[in-house]
Structures are given as structure tokens and as C-alpha cells.
């Protein structure tokens, strides 16, 4: 099974999307075509997705909506695996709709999916009304009542 799986890096994805290096873009295209045919499974790590957003935004200066749309299509494709796909799709939507950094959008999406508060001093995360911010641990009384039988 591992012979059919490929972990992909940021460079390969960016070359495929941007098409700015003919040889690399062609090779990446062949890999994604094999993925579309079901001949290979492509695995995208969360960190790679975040780095793709960063590179496409900062170096290539692509609009956020275009970045979100391209990466949404990519990670939604059959044959592409990313852990917690729904969380990453939510993060890309948050990124598209706001000016918040992608990693903060990912944090907010994961917090929402797991109904888990975020401990942060970052004001951007507070912009998401569906995310609870809790920077302090439970008080002694809360700990006692939560541990009581």
C-alpha cells in the first residue's frame, strides 16, 4: 500500500498550481493525474498546507480567495488525503472570508470542530465568534466540582 502513497511537499504543490517552472510543473501534473486516475494516493500534511498558503500569499501575492479555492479543490480531490479534512476546509473558508493568518484560521476551525477553547493572546482569533477563548486554567473550585463523583 505504501508504494501507492506519496507525501507531497509545498514545492510540488506550488509548482503544480502556479506553473512557473516547466519541468517541475509537468512532473507534478503527472503525479496529480495519477492521483485522479486512482493510481496513487497523495498525502498532504497540515503543515504543508499552511506553508502553501503562506508561499502563495507572500511570495506569489495571489489573492486569498484564489488561494483558498485552489487548495480547497486540491484537498477535496479523490485520491488526496489530509487528516481532518473538514477542519482544513473550514480553515480555508475562514481564511478566504477574513484577513486572519491561515494558521489562526486553522486553530479556530480545530477549536470549533472539537468544541475546545483556545488559549491565546492573539486578537485575530477573537474575531471568530464561534470560538471560545480561555487563557486561564480552571479555578480550584471548578477542579473540585469537576472531579467530584
Amino acid at each position: 500500500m505504501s508504494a501507492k502513497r506519496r507525501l507531497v511537499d509545498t514545492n510540488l504543490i506550488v509548482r503544480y498550481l502556479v506553473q512557473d517552472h516547466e519541468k517541475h510543473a509537468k512532473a507534478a501534473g503527472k503525479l496529480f493525474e495519477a492521483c485522479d486516475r486512482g493510481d496513487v494516493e497523495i498525502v498532504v500534511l497540515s503543515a504543508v498546507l499552511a506553508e502553501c498558503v503562506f508561499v502563495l500569499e507572500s511570495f506569489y501575492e495571489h489573492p486569498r480567495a484564489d488561494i483558498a479555492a485552489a487548495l480547497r479543490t486540491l484537498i477535496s480531490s479523490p485520491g488526496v488525503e489530509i487528516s481532518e479534512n473538514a477542519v482544513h476546509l473550514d480553515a480555508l473558508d475562514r481564511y478566504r472570508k477574513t484577513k486572519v493568518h491561515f494558521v489562526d484560521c486553522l486553530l479556530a476551525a480545530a477549536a470549533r470542530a472539537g468544541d475546545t477553547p483556545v488559549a491565546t493572546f492573539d486578537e485575530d482569533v477573537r474575531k471568530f465568534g464561534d470560538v471560545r477563548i480561555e487563557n486561564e486554567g480552571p479555578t480550584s473550585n471548578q477542579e473540585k466540582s469537576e472531579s467530584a463523583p
Side-chain angles (χ1 to χ4, degrees):
M1 178 105 175
S2 63
K4 291 184 68 176
R5 290 168 52 95
R6 301 286 184 278
L7 285 164
V8 293
D9 76 346
T10 303
N11 193 321
L12 186 126
I13 294 171
V14 168
R15 294 290 167 256
Y16 174 69
L17 294 176
V18 176
Q19 300 283 311
D20 66 343
H21 187 289
E22 186 178 348
K23 183 179 176 183
H24 291 170
K26 187 176 180 179
K30 286 183 179 181
L31 181 62
F32 281 102
E33 287 167 11
C35 178
D36 289 343
R37 288 191 308 270
D39 296 340
V40 67
E41 183 178 26
I42 291 173
V43 180
V44 179
L45 299 178
S46 186
V48 169
L49 184 68
E51 189 176 37
C52 285
V53 170
F54 176 78
V55 169
L56 292 169
E57 182 180 352
S58 64
F59 184 76
Y60 290 96
E61 299 180 347
H62 284 279
R64 293 169 80 90
D66 293 352
I67 294 168
L71 292 174
R72 171 180 264 287
T73 298
L74 184 120
I75 67 171
S76 297
S77 299
V80 174
E81 175 190 317
I82 187 166
S83 67
E84 300 178 321
N85 187 283
V87 169
H88 290 90
L89 292 172
D90 181 15
L92 287 168
D93 283 344
R94 291 169 188 269
Y95 172 78
R96 177 180 54 82
K97 294 174 183 175
T98 67
K99 300 262 187 235
V100 176
H101 291 290
F102 179 73
V103 172
D104 291 330
C105 293
L106 185 56
L107 185 64
R112 181 70 182 121
D115 192 26
T116 306
V118 177
T120 182
F121 298 116
D122 191 329
E123 291 300 316
D124 280 347
V125 178
R126 294 177 187 278
K127 293 177 182 176
F128 297 111
D130 60 344
V131 176
R132 291 189 335 266
I133 306 296
E134 295 181 16
N135 286 340
E136 297 178 11
T139 63
S140 295
N141 289 340
Q142 284 177 322
E143 288 173 349
K144 288 176 186 173
S145 66
E146 289 174 3
S147 63

